[in-house]
């Protein structure tokens, strides 16, 4: 199973957070949002396919992802969780921890915003640049 979320860059993308990565449907971004790597996303948690969300609500589900900003691909992975809600209408958050709220898509993520290569992040500081989060369930 696979989902793809497209998003835009923004001049305030810093990608410095050590525990999370976030993509949001919101178009505005302040420098306080240092986990956000994309804005104006075409999907948030609530928009994902119901069968896809159901698979994510199983703790042993392995999730492989790629943040794609041509010509770069940043690979990361994590796990589903029995307690996932996946209902937020604006955001998707990938977490290193096991914390769960309505914005959480995966837990035990092996990377955070600070781990994303700076050349990829530099491209995302251009509001014209498009990116994609590709999510695959094994």
């Amino acid at each position: 199973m696979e989902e793809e979320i497209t998003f835009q860059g923004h001049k305030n993308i810093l990608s410095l957070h050590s525990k999370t990565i976030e993509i949001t449907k919101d178009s505005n971004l302040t420098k306080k949002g240092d986990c956000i790597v994309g804005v104006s996303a075409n999907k948030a948690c609530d928009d994902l396919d119901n069968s896809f969300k159901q698979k994510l609500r199983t703790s042993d589900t392995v999730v492989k992802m790629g943040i794609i900003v041509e010509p770069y691909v940043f690979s990361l992975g994590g796990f589903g969780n029995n307690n996932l809600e996946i209902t937020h209408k604006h955001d998707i958050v990938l977490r290193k921890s096991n914390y769960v709220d309505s914005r959480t898509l995966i837990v035990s993520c092996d990377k955070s915003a600070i781990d994303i290569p700076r050349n990829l992040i530099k491209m995302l500081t251009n509001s014209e640049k498009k990116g994609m989060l590709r999510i695959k369930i094994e």
Side-chain angles (χ1 to χ4, degrees):
M1 300 181 92
E2 184 175 300
E3 285 270 4
E4 293 183 347
I5 296 109
T6 59
F7 57 87
Q8 294 282 133
H10 190 283
K11 67 180 181 180
N12 288 332
I13 287 180
L14 299 173
S15 191
L16 297 174
H17 204 279
S18 63
K19 300 206 185 293
T20 61
I21 296 172
E22 181 178 334
I23 293 169
T24 183
K25 282 181 147 182
D26 296 340
S27 59
N28 191 33
L29 174 61
T30 68
K31 292 195 175 186
K32 287 185 179 181
D34 66 349
C35 65
I36 297 173
V37 300
V39 299
S40 301
N42 69 329
K43 296 178 188 175
C45 285
D46 196 53
D47 301 307
L48 300 175
D49 181 79
N50 283 331
S51 60
F52 190 83
K53 291 194 280 189
Q54 201 56 41
K55 282 287 265 183
L56 287 170
R57 290 185 184 112
T58 305
S59 291
D60 61 353
T61 297
V62 175
V63 184
K64 300 288 183 190
M65 292 165 289
I67 296 174
I68 303 155
V69 181
E70 294 295 338
Y72 303 107
V73 178
F74 177 69
S75 297
L76 56 158
F79 296 90
N81 184 285
N82 294 340
N83 298 316
L84 288 176
E85 299 169 29
I86 320 173
T87 56
H88 202 274
K89 296 194 181 303
H90 295 279
D91 303 335
I92 290 175
V93 179
L94 316 175
R95 299 186 188 279
K96 275 192 160 183
S97 71
N98 286 313
Y99 177 79
V100 170
D101 67 10
S102 65
R103 305 178 328 144
T104 307
L105 184 70
I106 64 159
V107 296
S108 300
C109 189
D110 61 358
K111 309 273 182 359
S112 67
I114 192 72
D115 299 314
I116 300 172
R118 297 297 100 181
N119 51 2
L120 190 153
I121 294 305
K122 186 170 192 252
M123 293 178 77
L124 285 173
T125 60
N126 176 349
S127 61
E128 300 297 312
K129 195 64 177 170
K130 294 188 185 305
M132 178 189 301
L133 174 64
R134 181 174 290 142
I135 311 159
K136 292 182 183 180
I137 296 177
E138 303 281 305

